[in-house]
């Protein structure tokens, strides 16, 4: 079985400040890791994913995440946020032995204030 | 446009009504999923279809009935719903079932009155 814990349910930050959204996972096998973003009244959009290779993954909208196997973490970062980054962010994990099914965290609400 | 289209975007229905949600993808994906997203709750996986065959049903009440006539289309038929079924229903697709990530639709916001 696999699970995902997003450590912060809400993260308020000021515009142009850096942000880190934390995600920890547990799994008994190798995993794929994802971050999705959900804007109000929209579906989820894939921000970035780690499948293999370099542990630093760059995604859309200036976001990046680092896979840390020893700490079983996959934290999402952005050096300078914009008002438009206000959204819900979901971390997810899947493995290729579980028929492609992803397990999602509970989500982190990022609120960027002017 | 994400490549996965859901209709309608909004639906209000009475508890005795019958309605259907539609999902369509032309990404060449072979797996499709229905998720339920309720306020203050985690995403709930409802059904998984792979190559038009239902491969997973996560203890969903029988008032929800999925249908996958081909690999591009997925329906969720609704009847005699309860107010607690009000939620955002999300469709997603993926290439095979290799766990390489989903493409989601924009969802149908369902309100049961």
């Amino acid at each position: 079985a696999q699970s995902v814990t997003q450590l912060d349910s809400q993260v308020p930050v000021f515009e142009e400040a850096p942000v880190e959204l934390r995600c920890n996972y547990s799994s008994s096998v190798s995993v794929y890791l994802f971050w999705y973003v959900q804007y109000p009244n929209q579906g989820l959009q894939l921000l970035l994913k780690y499948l293999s290779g370099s542990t630093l993954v760059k995604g859309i909208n200036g976001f990046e995440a680092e896979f840390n196997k020893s700490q079983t973490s996959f934290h999402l970062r952005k050096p300078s946020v914009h008002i438009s980054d206000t959204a819900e962010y979901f971390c997810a994990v899947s493995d290729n032995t579980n028929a492609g099914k992803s397990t999602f965290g509970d989500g982190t609400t990022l609120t960027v204030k002017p | 446009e994400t490549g996965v289209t859901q209709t309608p975007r909004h639906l209000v229905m009475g508890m005795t009504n019958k309605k259907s949600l539609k999902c369509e993808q032309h990404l060449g994906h072979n797996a499709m999923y229905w998720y339920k997203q309720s306020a203050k709750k985690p995403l709930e996986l409802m059904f998984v279809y792979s190559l038009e065959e239902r491969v997973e049903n996560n203890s969903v009440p029988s008032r929800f009935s999925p249908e996958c006539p081909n690999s591009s289309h997925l329906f969720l038929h609704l009847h005699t719903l309860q107010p607690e079924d009000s939620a955002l229903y999300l469709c997603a697709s993926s290439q095979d079932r290799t766990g390489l990530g989903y493409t989601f639709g924009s969802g149908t916001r369902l309100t049961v009155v």
Side-chain angles (χ1 to χ4, degrees), chain A residues 82-99:
Chain A
H82 302 289
I83 298 287
S84 59
D85 292 323
T86 294
E88 185 95 14
Y89 290 79
F90 292 92
C91 182
V93 60
S94 70
D95 66 71
N96 60 9
T97 66
N98 197 22

Side-chain angles (χ1 to χ4, degrees), chain A residues 28-112:
Chain A
S28 57
V29 298
S30 297
V31 296
Y32 304 137
L33 294 155
F34 310 85
W35 276 99
Y36 292 85
V37 59
Q38 184 178 30
Y39 299 104
N41 299 313
Q42 295 291 322
L44 279 68
Q45 179 184 0
L46 185 65
L47 263 183
L48 49 78
K49 60 185 174 184
Y50 170 80
L51 303 180
S52 65
S54 172
T55 56
L56 183 63
V57 180
K58 294 189 183 296
I60 62 171
N61 301 341
F63 284 93
E64 63 181 32
E66 185 157 19
F67 170 56
N68 188 320
K69 188 174 181 179
S70 62
Q71 297 187 10
T72 60
S73 68
F74 191 56
H75 300 333
L76 181 70
R77 301 186 182 98
K78 186 169 182 178
S80 175
V81 293
H82 302 289
I83 298 287
S84 59
D85 292 323
T86 294
E88 185 95 14
Y89 290 79
F90 292 92
C91 182
V93 60
S94 70
D95 66 71
N96 60 9
T97 66
N98 197 22
K101 188 170 67 174
S102 286
T103 300
F104 288 83
D106 290 350
T108 297
T109 302
L110 174 64
T111 303
V112 182

